[in-house]
Amino acid sequence: MTAQERMAKIEKLISFYKTDNVNYAAVDETGRKHSVSVVVYRLNVPGVFIPDGAQAGGLAALYREGLDRIHTILSQLDMVQLGEISSGCDNPETFTVVDDTAEAVRGVLSGVIETHPLGALFDIAVYDDGGHEVPPREYPPCIICDGDSSVCKKEHRHSDAEILDRIDTMLLVNGYYDEVDIAN
């Protein structure tokens, strides 16, 4: 999905929950102002990437684990998840609409990236109800050089092959598949 297609989907979701949804109230009966934010989650893998069998299974398991962590932390903090849609198959993306401020959601979801051993592979973007992205407290370190991952990504400091090789190693070392899977 292109960045433009992603933004169009985010804007449609925000519009639906703020304007088209008859159940949405800008202010509830207690006077609490509601904000809608959108969480976009995918794995941080380069370009058009078609994994082999073992790698696909490892990435799918990691994707589900990250999504489960997002759901769990939002639920534990009583952040209401209003709806969710997923798209794509090679590198799926999940769009979750949350009834809370983007700043609050970003704050709690930064912990998902920071505390997971493969958190650097999670790409979690949070958008406010105006469609603006709220940046994380800090970006995870680059999986290749431990530098600022946002700079490495923007400047294409590492080749796709180098990144994919490192992802393979990370999945293997962290038990998402084993060497027998790779050989088959």
Side-chain angles (χ1 to χ4, degrees):
M1 176 178 295
T2 67
Q4 189 174 10
E5 291 169 330
R6 189 173 300 108
M7 265 326 292
K9 189 170 281 206
I10 291 165
E11 288 167 359
K12 282 181 186 176
L13 286 167
I14 291 169
S15 174
F16 173 76
Y17 281 98
K18 286 184 71 178
T19 6
D20 303 337
N21 185 352
V22 295
N23 296 319
Y24 179 79
V27 179
D28 68 16
E29 63 278 354
T30 66
R32 178 179 167 258
K33 182 180 181 290
H34 287 264
S35 289
V36 173
S37 56
V38 177
V39 176
V40 181
Y41 166 66
R42 62 188 174 154
L43 291 181
N44 199 1
V45 293
V48 177
F49 168 55
I50 301 172
D52 64 24
Q55 197 174 46
L59 288 171
L62 179 62
Y63 182 84
R64 283 189 306 275
E65 186 177 314
L67 190 57
D68 288 346
R69 281 185 176 224
I70 290 169
H71 290 157
T72 299
I73 197 161
L74 292 174
S75 295
Q76 287 174 342
L77 297 172
D78 293 326
M79 293 181 157
V80 179
Q81 298 167 64
L82 300 171
E84 184 168 273
I85 58 171
S86 293
S87 64
C89 32
D90 292 334
N91 189 5
E93 291 182 90
T94 299
F95 297 76
T96 306
V97 182
V98 181
D99 181 16
D100 214 318
T101 66
E103 291 78 11
V105 173
R106 167 48 76 198
V108 299
L109 292 184
S110 288
V112 171
I113 295 169
E114 294 164 2
T115 60
H116 192 282
L118 298 179
L121 297 180
F122 297 156
D123 185 355
I124 302 173
V126 179
Y127 295 84
D128 65 18
D129 56 11
H132 304 99
E133 186 174 0
V134 176
R137 295 185 289 241
E138 61 182 60
Y139 290 94
C142 172
I143 63 172
I144 305 295
C145 68
D146 284 330
D148 184 332
S149 62
S150 64
V151 173
C152 288
K153 189 174 185 176
K154 191 181 302 178
E155 296 179 0
H156 305 287
R157 289 186 177 170
H158 312 290
S159 72
D160 287 356
E162 184 180 19
I163 295 168
L164 293 174
D165 193 46
R166 178 67 182 128
I167 289 171
D168 249 355
T169 302
M170 292 170 77
L171 290 171
L172 181 63
V173 167
N174 286 280
Y176 286 88
Y177 56 79
D178 58 32
E179 292 182 54
V180 174
D181 292 334
I182 296 169
N184 294 331

